[in-house]
Structure formats: structure tokens, C-alpha cells
Amino acid sequence: MEKELLIEVKNMTKFFGPTQALKGVDMRFYRGEIRGLIGENGSGKSTVTSIIAGMQAASGGTMTYKGQSWKPENMVEAQKAGISMVLQEANTIPDCTVAENLLAGRFDEFSKFGFVSMKKANAEAEKMLLSFGITNIHAKDSINKLTFEDRKLIEIVRCVSDETEVFVVDETTTALSLEGRQILYKLIHELKEKGKCVIFISHDMAVIERVCHRVAVMYLGQIVELGSDITKSSKGSIYTLTIIGQVEGHMIAPETVKTTKYEHVLPLLAGIEESDDVDGLLLLLNTVGGDIEAGLAIAELIAGMKKPTVSLVLGGGHSIGIPLAVSARKSLIVPTASMTVHPVRMTGLVVGAPQTYQYFNQIQDQIVNFVTKNSHISREDFLRYMMATDEIATDVGTVLYGEEAVSSGLMDAIGSLSDALNLLHRQIDRQKKRGRG
């Protein structure tokens, strides 16, 4: 069943003076989902959500909320309509009590003949705190005496009510203890189960993987598509993920180099594994090396997925592209593609010491172990290809083309796109039958 669209953002732009913070952003948010938003500082995550929540206006583009045009004047209007946001910065009212913070803008509910009944207001505030499982903070406490974490919890309680339809959490977990995080996680999962939408912004990859069902990546004010798409048919839903160029890890590659950023791919894979809307993953590869540890991290995640996976190598599978290729349950290579097997190398300054050699050897062992575990090539053959000195004119290693990559046991079969899709559909069908059984 199709999920109900709650918020749609189209071609959103935002300028701060001459600086363009958002560049034609398109996004959709649905009922019953926890959507992760990740990206570097300044990528536009908070800007998009603050516009949705009425903190500021967009410079261009349109928004709809529940099918109607949406252009809130301020956060109060947004919250009354059901959209609340907990900010990264402190947002409590100083020199007031907890009750006065929780019930700001609502004191007419506790007034009679112009007089406010603080007894009733405090009772309501206590009830709100207890509904969230908060017992260490009380209505009459001064907000000034609370820790930053406790003030964050007060903001959360103030933001969420029965009328909340969209709840935006902006980097809030960093300010919370383990107990505070558990309260927040419980709340957002309850909202999801009630058919609400949660937009979750965080730099913590472990939290994103644990909490979110879908992830959007922002970079320099734009949504990063990652060469991915979901294709739905009567046979099942397939997520196609393309990894091309260098795998960018801890070091940023030059702007002229085509890259795939591993910090974007990791939460995406977690979202695919958890999503009820995706039945299988098709991995399209054309790589030229990159960060070894980052590539292995992606490969390990794919190898550990329970959902059906198939990889198809197009063009090249250079260096770290080999572990990525064999990480899927079935690996195919087109006849003209190649797999370049060579020892671990490093660019830049290298300290010529025994410890450096030992480090290289350990990394190389990790690659060899992973490849031989997830393919049919023997350790001896893989090392022989890796250390060959008569195959590549200016380097050590071996280039294996389509048929050679298959006959060596490195890849499962020669195949095309249709072959890869057929294999994936078979896996999906078997998994569905096991689920019914």
C-alpha cells in the first residue's frame, strides 16, 4: 500500500546575501516514516527543515503540506498546524519555571476572569513530563537550574503533542545522555507507529542506522542522488546503487576526480536493509580504486545484508572494486570489463620503517581474506595474481578480463543487466517463499 504523502518540497532555494545555501532541493516526506537527513556542516540540512517548520522563509520554490500550499509565517503557526522542531541550539525561555516553558502560549487554558491558576498549570506540566517518563524534572523547577540536557528534554516535551504530524529532530542526540536518548528514540518510534513523520538530522552514523528507515544525503545545498533508483514491478522492488570512480573515505579527493563518498553509502545501505519498500539490491560497479578501509567498510555491509544482492561490474573493478564486486551474493561481469588485482599502495609521504610494512601487510591480508571468503578463488591464486611482475608493464599485479575473472573463480559468471536482474528476482522469489513458509 502506498504511504500517504505529508510534505512535498519542490525546487527550494535559499540565499543568505550572495551565498546560496539551497540549490533547487526536491524532497518528499511520508506518514509512518523516520527519515534521516545527513551531510556535512553547511550542506543545507537544517536550512530545509527550518523552512518547513516556519523558522525562516525560502527564497524560491514551493511546499505542500497535506496536499495544500504551505508557507508558514513562523514556528507558532507551524506548530499549531502540527509541525514541530527541536533545534540544535538551546531554545528554552530563561528566568521561568519548567511549567511556564512547557505551556508558553497556552496559559489562557488555565485562566479565569483574567487570573491564571498556576495550580492547574503545574498539574498539566507534571502530567506532560510523566507521559514522557521524565521523573527527575518538576513543573515548579527553575529552567535556569537545569542542565543543557534537561532543557533539551523540556523542548522535546513542549514540541510534541497529540496534534503533532511532523517532528523534526536537529542534532539533538549529541546533547542527551543514554537515558535521554532512550526517551527520544521511544518517542519517535511511537510517532511512526501512529502514522506521523519524523525527520531526523544527525552526524552520528550509528544513530542514523539504528533509528531511520530512509536516508537522504545533502551536499552543498543539494540532495545527493548517489546514482540510485528504486524500480517496482510485479516481481518485486529493486534498489539500484551505482558506485563509480574512486571510493572517497577519510581524505577528500580533488574536485576533478569522480568519487563515491562512503559516508553517503553506509547509511543508505542500512536504510535499504531495513526498508519494507525494497526487496533486493542491484550494485553497478565501475571503480578506479580509492580509500581501502572505506571500500572494505561498504563491502562488509553489503556482505552482511539479509536481502538479496547482485553485483554487475561494468568497465573496471580496480583495486578496492574487487571486494565490492564479490560482496554481493552473486557477482556478474560484462565480457569487456576488467578486474585489476594488485598489492596495497599508498600515495604521499610514507615512513620507511618495519611498522609501515607490517601495516600494509595487515591491510592486504584483510583484503585477501575478504575476497577469498566471498568468492571461489583460492588464496594462492589470488596472491599469485596480486604479486605477478610480468603482466602489467609499469606495475605489479594482474588485469583479469571478463572470462578470465570468471574462470579464476573471482566472479561468478559473465552476464548482462538482464542476467543480473533475473538472478536478483530469483533470489527475491526464494526469500518470499521462505517467508510464507
Side-chain angles (χ1 to χ4, degrees):
M1 185 176 69
E2 290 289 331
K3 289 186 177 179
E4 181 185 342
L5 178 64
L6 203 53
I7 295 178
E8 184 171 22
V9 174
K10 286 187 176 180
N11 198 31
M12 181 183 283
T13 59
K14 179 65 180 178
F15 289 87
F16 295 101
T19 303
Q20 187 170 7
L22 297 178
K23 304 172 183 177
V25 172
D26 294 326
M27 298 187 77
R28 289 184 168 193
F29 301 94
Y30 296 87
R31 287 192 180 278
E33 75 167 353
I34 304 172
R35 171 73 71 87
L37 262 186
I38 63 170
E40 300 168 354
N41 287 333
S43 62
K45 309 181 300 295
S46 297
T47 305
V48 169
T49 50
S50 65
I51 291 171
I52 292 172
M55 281 186 65
Q56 56 185 323
S59 301
T62 60
M63 288 189 294
T64 59
Y65 173 47
K66 296 182 178 180
Q68 303 295 318
S69 177
W70 178 243
K71 199 173 181 180
E73 293 291 330
N74 49 54
M75 292 187 75
V76 174
E77 179 185 340
Q79 189 161 351
K80 285 181 178 179
I83 301 177
S84 300
M85 181 174 183
V86 177
L87 303 175
Q88 187 173 355
E89 302 81 14
N91 194 35
T92 49
I93 307 167
D95 304 321
C96 292
T97 65
V98 168
E100 288 167 336
N101 267 271
L102 290 177
L103 302 172
R106 291 181 51 194
F107 275 96
D108 57 327
E109 299 174 27
F110 311 98
S111 299
K112 192 172 185 180
F113 305 120
F115 293 96
V116 177
S117 172
M118 288 308 300
K119 181 178 180 180
K120 291 182 179 178
N122 288 335
E124 175 65 17
E126 288 287 349
K127 181 180 175 182
M128 292 169 68
L129 291 167
L130 288 173
S131 70
F132 283 79
I134 300 172
T135 57
N136 62 315
I137 304 172
H138 300 284
K140 295 181 181 180
D141 292 346
S142 169
I143 204 78
N144 294 351
K145 294 182 179 180
L146 299 185
T147 64
F148 186 77
E149 177 196 351
D150 286 342
R151 279 180 280 151
K152 274 292 160 197
L153 290 175
I154 295 302
E155 289 179 50
I156 292 169
V157 175
R158 184 177 64 196
C159 281
V160 179
S161 67
D162 291 338
E163 287 72 41
T164 300
E165 298 284 358
V166 180
F167 182 42
V168 182
V169 183
D170 187 2
E171 297 285 2
T172 302
T173 54
T174 54
L176 299 178
S177 65
L178 179 60
E179 183 180 357
R181 290 188 183 199
Q182 294 303 323
I183 291 172
L184 178 61
Y185 298 157
K186 181 174 181 287
L187 167 66
I188 63 178
H189 282 292
E190 287 176 352
L191 289 171
K192 173 195 172 292
E193 291 303 315
K194 291 177 181 177
K196 315 297 185 180
C197 174
V198 178
I199 306 173
F200 195 91
I201 301 173
S202 179
H203 282 96
D204 191 330
M205 302 297 291
V207 173
I208 286 284
E209 291 176 14
R210 172 183 175 181
V211 173
C212 301
H213 303 98
R214 300 176 65 202
V215 179
V217 181
M218 294 200 67
Y219 182 67
L220 297 179
Q222 296 175 298
I223 297 295
V224 179
E225 293 295 342
L226 292 177
S228 56
D229 190 27
I230 297 179
T231 304
K232 295 184 179 181
S233 71
S234 58
K235 299 176 183 177
S237 299
I238 292 175
Y239 199 109
T240 304
L241 176 62
T242 304
I243 299 180
I244 60 173
Q246 284 191 17
V247 176
E248 185 178 288
H250 304 294
M251 302 295 290
I252 299 175
E255 291 184 4
T256 55
V257 177
K258 179 74 74 174
T259 65
T260 299
K261 299 176 184 291
Y262 93 117
E263 70 269 26
H264 295 170
V265 176
L266 296 183
L268 190 64
L269 290 172
I272 293 168
E273 179 75 341
E274 283 293 309
S275 176
D276 294 331
D277 299 324
V278 179
D279 297 314
L281 172 66
L282 175 62
L283 197 63
L284 302 181
L285 300 170
N286 190 352
T287 60
V288 290
D291 189 301
I292 296 167
E293 292 179 345
L296 271 178
I298 297 172
E300 289 282 10
L301 274 191
I302 295 169
M305 293 177 73
K306 292 181 180 178
K307 287 193 173 174
T309 55
V310 171
S311 66
L312 179 62
V313 177
L314 309 159
H318 191 278
S319 184
I320 197 59
I322 295 175
L324 289 170
V326 303
S327 64
R329 292 188 191 178
K330 288 293 181 181
S331 58
L332 302 183
I333 183 170
V334 299
T336 56
S338 63
M339 309 288 283
T340 304
V341 187
H342 64 66
V344 171
R345 298 176 300 192
M346 185 176 287
T347 58
L349 181 65
V350 177
V351 178
Q355 291 87 342
T356 304
Y357 173 77
Q358 185 179 6
Y359 170 73
F360 277 13
N361 221 24
Q362 288 172 340
I363 292 291
Q364 193 159 287
D365 269 347
Q366 289 178 8
I367 294 173
V368 173
N369 291 338
F370 184 89
V371 171
T372 53
K373 177 184 176 183
N374 290 280
S375 70
H376 300 292
I377 195 170
S378 68
R379 184 181 182 88
E380 293 72 23
D381 284 346
F382 191 66
L383 285 171
R384 177 169 55 81
Y385 288 132
M386 181 181 282
M387 298 301 179
T389 58
D390 56 350
E391 293 289 332
I392 305 176
T394 59
D395 202 352
V396 176
T398 306
V399 179
L400 299 173
Y401 287 92
E403 291 287 357
E404 297 171 295
V406 174
S407 62
S408 70
L410 189 57
M411 301 293 288
D412 288 328
I414 293 287
S416 62
L417 177 59
S418 61
D419 295 322
L421 289 171
N422 285 335
L423 275 174
L424 195 51
H425 284 307
R426 277 184 231 152
Q427 288 185 39
I428 292 170
D429 188 52
R430 284 196 297 269
Q431 190 167 78
K432 286 181 176 179
K433 287 178 179 177
R434 284 198 299 269
R436 288 194 294 266

